[in-house]
């Protein structure tokens, strides 16, 4: 027999588990289906989450799972491969063969970071190849830092933005334009912030047991203790597409401030809807969505009873 829930949450990161905790405590029948690959898994420590600063990311999620299950929420280790239906009768198909029925669905599947295709980047991603100064800038403070420019339009603007931020953490910040052409205004801004620019295509990041520096294609090697890169952010939004949700021109799902999408009964929270969400704000978005979903169910039931 198909298991039936008030709410099925796809994704058990900070957003999904926070939503599940609120719904389980509201005595809703709730399941979280999680594939077990949160975005910050490569990082040893998570920073900037009040009261949890420095906690390993896996510990936060393990604590969250324990809290959700303590209130009767279910956490299912699987992948949702398809979703369809309509409010009060959504069906989610899982990779291992089972299907779940749900009155409401919350998609909290996060995003994927598409990294620059240079040797050494992926090996050190989340350790000394970084993207977020608020997450890990403090850990590399006062060290020689580099920032990699890139070709992709969105990534170029973010790489320059990163380089402008970083002098707060180190006086030694080098910007490698790599394949991009800096505008005069960008150069002036970088100069004003004390960021030096080193022209030349980057061949690879030099890595042994840690990042050692950057090798340019003309053979020069520049020692750096940390490199910041600007990945392209790709929402893990296949289920939102399958469910027929509307997207904006930038390709991000459209939601109201509580995470409600254009499709009745379907919510989205965390990085799948907001690439800028940190762990604490993804958790907040999950909590906000859960409260809105519960209210939506209450009103649907009250309206049906009045009729
Ligand atoms: C290297 C790195 C370090 C970071 N460090 C920090 C930091 O120190 N502090 C901070 O605040 N932020 C940090 N971040 C950002 C942080 O990772 C995100 O803010 C946070 O993970 C967003 O939470 P989320 O719940 O939206 O998504 P995620 O945490 O990515 O969780 C999404 C979950 O959904 C699952 N999933 C996806 N598709 C499916 C499916 N079809 N079926 C079932 N499950 C599915 C995934 O496997 C995953 O477990 C870092 C990011 C990176 C890349």
């Amino acid at each position: 027999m198909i298991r039936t829930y008030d709410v099925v949450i796809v994704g058990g990161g900070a957003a999904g588990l926070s939503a599940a905790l609120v719904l389980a405590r509201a005595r809703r029948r709730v399941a979280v289906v999680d594939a077990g690959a949160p975005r910050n898994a490569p990082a040893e420590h998570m920073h900037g989450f009040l009261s949890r600063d420095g906690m390993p990311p896996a510990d936060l999620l393990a604590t969250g799972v324990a809290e959700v299950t303590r209130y009767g929420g279910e956490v299912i280790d699987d992948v949702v491969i398809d979703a369809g239906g309509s409010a009060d009768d959504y069906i989610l198909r899982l990779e291992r063969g089972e299907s779940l029925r749900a009155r409401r669905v919350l998609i909290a599947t996060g995003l994927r970071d598409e990294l620059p295709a240079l040797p050494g980047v992926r090996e050190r991603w989340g350790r000394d190849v970084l993207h977020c100064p608020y997450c890990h800038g403090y850990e590399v403070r006062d060290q020689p830092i580099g920032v990699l420019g890139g070709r992709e339009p969105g990534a170029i603007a973010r790489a320059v933005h990163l380089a402008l931020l970083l002098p707060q953490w180190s006086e030694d910040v080098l910007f490698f334009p790599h394949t991009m052409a800096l505008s005069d205004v960008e150069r002036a801004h970088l100069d004003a912030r004390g960021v030096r620019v080193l022209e030349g295509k980057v061949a690879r990041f030099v890595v042994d047991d840690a990042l050692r520096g950057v090798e340019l294609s003309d053979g020069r090697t520049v020692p750096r203790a940390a490199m910041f890169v600007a990945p392209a952010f790709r929402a893990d939004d296949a289920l939102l597409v399958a469910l027929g949700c509307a997207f904006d021109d930038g390709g991000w799902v459209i939601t109201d401030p509580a995470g409600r999408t254009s499709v009745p009964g379907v919510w989205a929270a965390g990085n799948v809807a907001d690439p800028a969400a940190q762990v604490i704000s993804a958790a907040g978005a999950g909590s906000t969505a859960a409260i809105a979903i519960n209210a939506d169910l209450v009103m649907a039931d009250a309206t049906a009873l009045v009729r």
Side-chain angles (χ1 to χ4, degrees), residues 2 8 10 33 78-84 90-101 239:
I2 189 164
V8 170
V10 189
V33 185
D78 211 328
V79 181
V80 177
I81 53 172
D82 197 13
Y90 283 109
I91 302 291
L92 296 103
R93 265 197 323 124
L94 311 192
E95 198 171 59
R96 292 191 187 144
E98 196 186 357
S99 290
L100 308 177
R101 173 173 283 126
L239 297 172

Side-chain angles (χ1 to χ4, degrees), residues 11 14-15 34-40 47 80 109 113 135-136 270-271 277-279:
D34 184 46
R39 183 180 168 212
N40 57 350
H47 291 282
V80 177
T109 42
D113 296 282
C135 305
H136 304 292
N271 273 165
Q278 299 284 88
V279 179

Side-chain angles (χ1 to χ4, degrees), residues 9-17 33-43 45-49 53 57 61 76 78-82 94 108-111 113 125-127 129-132 134-136 231 236 239 269-283:
I9 297 167
V10 189
L17 288 174
V33 185
D34 184 46
R39 183 180 168 212
N40 57 350
H45 300 106
M46 173 195 74
H47 291 282
F49 196 126
D53 186 65
L61 300 185
I76 301 167
D78 211 328
V79 181
V80 177
I81 53 172
D82 197 13
L94 311 192
T109 42
L111 65 74
D113 296 282
W125 173 237
R127 298 180 222 185
V129 175
L130 306 164
H131 79 298
C132 165
Y134 302 104
C135 305
H136 304 292
D236 248 323
L239 297 172
N271 273 165
V272 72
D274 174 11
Q278 299 284 88
V279 179
I280 198 162
S281 39

Side-chain angles (χ1 to χ4, degrees), residues 28 103-104 292-304:
R28 289 291 179 188
R103 296 186 65 193
R104 302 290 183 268
I293 291 169
N294 187 53
D296 187 56
L297 286 167
V298 167
M299 287 314 294
D301 290 344
T303 306

Side-chain angles (χ1 to χ4, degrees), residues 39-80:
R39 183 180 168 212
N40 57 350
E44 279 180 23
H45 300 106
M46 173 195 74
H47 291 282
F49 196 126
L50 189 67
S51 83
R52 298 290 178 273
D53 186 65
M55 194 183 221
D59 289 5
L60 178 84
L61 300 185
T63 307
V65 168
E67 289 174 353
V68 168
T69 51
R70 190 190 308 153
Y71 291 103
E74 294 173 40
V75 180
I76 301 167
D77 172 17
D78 211 328
V79 181
V80 177

Side-chain angles (χ1 to χ4, degrees), residues 6 141 182 196:
D6 292 318
R141 67 194 179 281
L182 285 171
R196 289 170 298 135

